[in-house]
Amino acid sequence: MSDIQIVPRRSEERGNADHGWLKTFHTFSFAMYQESKHDRYGCLRVINEDRVAAHTGFGTHSHREFEIFSYVVDGELEHKDSMGNTEILPRGFVQLTSAGTGISHSEKAHGSKPVHFLQIWSLPSVPRLTPKYFTRSFTDEDKTDKWATVVAPVDAEGVKKDLRDGKGEVDGPAPVQSPLTLYASILSEGKRVTKEMKGTKGYFHVIMRSGYNEGKAEGATVKISGGGVGEEVALREGDGAYLQVKPGSEFVVENVGDKKTEVLLFDLA
């Protein structure tokens, strides 16, 4: 029996909406998409894969008691908030806002091109925190055929919790006030990566790099497995998987398709 139980979350089964200016998929219940079987997983509450058209975006709105981070895939994301932060975030950037007692912000596509990013929310371990803002950036080289740790708990080894802006792995992951570690990888054809899982849960996601697709997943293909004699599970762009984990077990991802693929792995307590 495998040390990691894998339950696929197929792309076409996610919530999705095409608002013209916004094309989005919801892994968990969000906005008009409500599904009790997919409301949250551990501290992980939202994974939205968003495409925002040029010159548009999310106007100023408020949040509290969430850890909110954006993983920029393509284009440039313009962020403004009530803490006085204004920043243009290109591909490779991770921006994390610890909303705490409350913040307001806007997120828009910057320039003449759309922006493709993942908006992720987690539940903080401590309530009524002072709002804070962090950025980190990771090149494609940092992630190619290896894991880059892009977000990690505030008290984890290597996390610089008082560093607002960081550039590359030398500055470590963005600090999150949740029992969550996020790894990112870009896998070349035929390559595989492994990761020892520390928590009891995990979530895996294949980023939809080939374009918005409401149907059955297409594009890059990976196989994932979790040690032991459990079967491999094939996933394509937009697909994900819930993981039930025996701590210390090895999670394996292999690119079995004909193009590079970008993937995210959440390790959850």
Side-chain angles (χ1 to χ4, degrees):
M1 183 176 181
S2 175
D3 292 333
I4 299 178
Q5 302 300 306
I6 300 169
V7 179
R9 175 77 163 120
R10 299 298 178 185
S11 181
E12 69 271 23
E13 296 171 356
R14 295 184 291 174
N16 75 284
D18 183 348
H19 299 290
W21 67 274
L22 169 67
K23 294 179 171 63
T24 181
F25 283 93
H26 309 310
T27 295
F28 301 105
S29 294
F30 193 86
M32 297 300 291
Y33 172 70
Q34 296 295 314
E35 175 53 73
S36 59
K37 294 186 296 184
H38 303 288
D39 191 56
R40 57 179 281 193
Y41 197 55
C43 66
L44 191 56
R45 178 60 186 86
V46 170
I47 303 176
N48 289 348
E49 188 162 1
D50 292 338
R51 285 177 167 80
V52 177
H55 310 299
T56 68
F58 302 96
T60 302
H61 57 285
S62 299
H63 296 282
R64 54 185 289 182
E65 302 298 352
F66 277 111
E67 302 290 286
I68 301 169
F69 38 111
S70 298
Y71 181 99
V72 183
V73 180
D74 286 307
E76 294 183 326
L77 182 67
E78 178 185 286
H79 171 97
K80 295 182 180 181
D81 64 41
S82 55
M83 294 181 282
N85 299 297
T86 299
E87 195 156 10
I88 307 301
L89 307 164
R91 170 168 170 76
F93 266 71
V94 176
Q95 179 273 316
L96 191 152
T97 298
S98 182
T101 53
I103 58 99
S104 297
H105 72 168
S106 63
E107 293 174 302
K108 299 182 179 181
H110 177 74
S112 60
K113 296 181 179 180
V115 62
H116 175 196
F117 70 107
L118 280 87
Q119 184 176 141
I120 301 158
W121 300 5
S122 66
L123 300 167
S125 301
V126 180
R128 300 196 59 77
L129 292 164
T130 299
K132 290 186 177 181
Y133 177 90
F134 303 93
T135 64
R136 300 289 188 268
S137 67
F138 301 87
T139 65
D140 283 6
E141 183 179 2
D142 292 331
K143 295 178 280 190
T144 297
D145 301 328
K146 56 190 172 183
W147 292 111
T149 308
V150 299
V151 176
V154 65
D155 57 353
E157 182 179 355
V159 173
K160 298 180 180 179
K161 62 182 181 180
D162 297 317
L163 180 67
R164 179 190 181 279
D165 301 302
K167 297 184 182 299
E169 289 232 300
V170 66
D171 294 325
V176 67
Q177 296 278 353
S178 306
L180 175 157
T181 304
L182 174 58
Y183 305 101
S185 182
I186 300 169
L187 273 179
S188 306
E189 299 94 317
K191 296 294 185 178
R192 73 200 300 262
V193 289
T194 65
K195 174 57 64 177
E196 179 181 332
M197 302 292 286
K198 297 179 180 179
T200 59
K201 295 181 176 70
Y203 193 83
F204 178 79
H205 180 74
V206 186
I207 296 175
M208 193 181 279
R209 292 297 306 274
S210 296
Y212 181 79
N213 170 29
E214 295 182 5
K216 188 175 180 179
E218 299 177 344
T221 307
V222 299
K223 284 187 178 179
I224 61 174
S225 60
V229 294
E231 66 176 336
E232 295 178 318
V233 175
L235 302 173
R236 305 191 77 174
E237 294 183 16
D239 286 340
Y242 292 103
L243 310 175
Q244 287 281 350
V245 180
K246 178 182 178 181
S249 55
E250 186 177 77
F251 182 70
V252 181
V253 186
E254 181 180 4
N255 185 345
V256 296
D258 59 358
K259 61 181 66 176
K260 285 186 177 181
T261 183
E262 189 164 359
V263 299
L264 299 178
L265 174 62
F266 298 84
D267 194 337
L268 308 167

